[in-house]
Amino acid sequence: MRMRPKKNRDRRMERVSSLLVLRDENGGVDIPATFGCDCRISLEIGCGKGAFIKELAAREPGRRFIAAELVPDVLMMAMEKAYDAGSPNLRFLHCNAESIDSLIPSGSVETLYLNFSDPWPKKRNAKRRLTSPAFLERYKKILAPGGKIVFKTDNKGLFDYSLETFTQCGYAVTDVCFDLHGDPVLSKENIETEYEKNFSAKGFLINRLVAVLPSD
Ligand SMILES: C[S@@+](CC[C@H](N)C(=O)[O-])C[C@H]1O[C@@H](n2cnc3c(N)ncnc32)[C@H](O)[C@@H]1O
């Protein structure tokens, strides 16, 4: 996500910095220090401006959420949204998903959300897709046994690619839907992201799948 540098960045970041995750001595996310309990978390990678995760955290006050984002100014905007809403069960992590398995404790994630990840359509960039085999292997380390990934995208090419990579990497793919907004059950509980609102308004169908990590 490209954007102009934000004015008053330091002051704005300072106001919301209490929403950053707390780190352990190795720089990893310290879940007990962050949430006051050694509990399972749910994680969104590439949260963008944060509308989805802020709403999900408000709907599910008993769960704990971490939203991860690569671009500092985008992360700041998501944090401001959560700060103004008062989101006690939502914290933020500035990171590149490439190092997610060295930051998030092993086996601690019950659900991982990937919403409208950058499609990287050229074959030479396939490794950058957040559903490429290398990323799916990283996620296996942080997912709890039986944990799941919920993936939404308007991009049919990325969706078809991901159907293959999830299966190839040993995830059980369930609940495949090629028109989320047209599904009477799924659409009812769906929380739209910023990109989702934009692309569905332009007539793009929204694809969604759930990929479960077998618990053997
Ligand atoms: C297309 S936007 C979608 C934003 C949001 N999920 C939505 O649906 O509105 C993709 C987001 O993923 C972030 N992103 C891309 N690659 C990433 C990476 N390797 N690690 C963390 N975040 C990443 C981008 O900075 C951007 O905010």
Side-chain angles (χ1 to χ4, degrees):
M1 190 179 281
R2 286 207 188 100
M3 54 172 37
R4 286 197 200 117
K6 292 286 160 225
K7 281 187 192 158
N8 306 316
R9 182 194 281 146
D10 291 351
R11 186 185 52 74
R12 286 173 62 181
M13 193 61 202
E14 198 183 322
R15 183 175 79 96
V16 298
S17 61
S18 59
L19 293 191
L20 288 169
V21 294
L22 298 177
R23 308 292 192 115
D24 61 24
E25 63 279 7
N26 301 314
V29 175
D30 187 332
I31 292 179
T34 299
F35 291 111
C37 62
D38 197 3
C39 43
R40 295 254 163 95
I41 58 149
S42 291
L43 172 69
E44 184 184 13
I45 297 182
C47 69
K49 294 179 190 168
F52 168 85
I53 202 74
K54 185 210 78 178
E55 175 59 24
L56 183 59
R59 281 192 198 178
E60 307 250 6
R63 292 169 64 194
R64 274 90 174 167
F65 297 90
I66 293 176
E69 172 55 50
L70 177 66
V71 179
D73 281 352
V74 178
L75 181 76
M76 181 176 74
M77 292 167 76
M79 290 172 69
E80 288 177 329
K81 220 173 245 154
Y83 189 90
D84 293 338
S87 304
N89 56 338
L90 171 58
R91 292 293 178 267
F92 291 85
L93 171 64
H94 175 222
C95 75
N96 187 327
E98 282 176 12
S99 45
I100 200 72
D101 52 329
S102 62
L103 293 170
I104 299 285
S106 303
S108 63
V109 176
E110 59 181 21
T111 307
L112 167 57
Y113 299 94
L114 295 174
N115 291 319
F116 299 82
S117 308
D118 295 323
W120 294 107
K122 290 192 178 136
K123 211 170 174 183
R124 68 167 185 271
N125 288 322
K127 279 188 179 162
R128 296 178 183 228
R129 297 173 192 155
L130 294 186
T131 53
S132 70
F135 278 104
L136 297 189
E137 291 302 326
R138 291 182 183 112
Y139 306 150
K140 277 184 186 172
K141 297 182 192 155
I142 60 171
L143 282 168
K148 62 184 179 183
I149 300 177
V150 182
F151 174 55
K152 289 198 283 187
T153 181
D154 63 298
N155 189 296
K156 191 65 173 48
L158 180 65
F159 195 65
D160 290 343
Y161 166 86
S162 306
L163 280 168
E164 279 181 24
T165 55
F166 276 116
T167 307
Q168 181 191 321
C169 292
Y171 290 82
V173 177
T174 65
D175 300 335
V176 177
C177 178
F178 296 101
D179 180 9
L180 175 60
H181 293 191
D183 184 297
V185 177
L186 292 177
S187 63
K188 224 175 178 182
E189 64 189 35
N190 182 48
I191 299 173
E192 282 189 303
T193 76
E194 282 94 352
Y195 268 67
E196 185 170 357
K197 273 198 184 107
N198 187 10
F199 284 112
S200 72
K202 287 180 179 152
F204 288 88
L205 295 182
I206 307 303
N207 305 277
R208 177 186 182 272
L209 64 79
V210 178
V212 182
L213 183 67
S215 45
D216 54 22

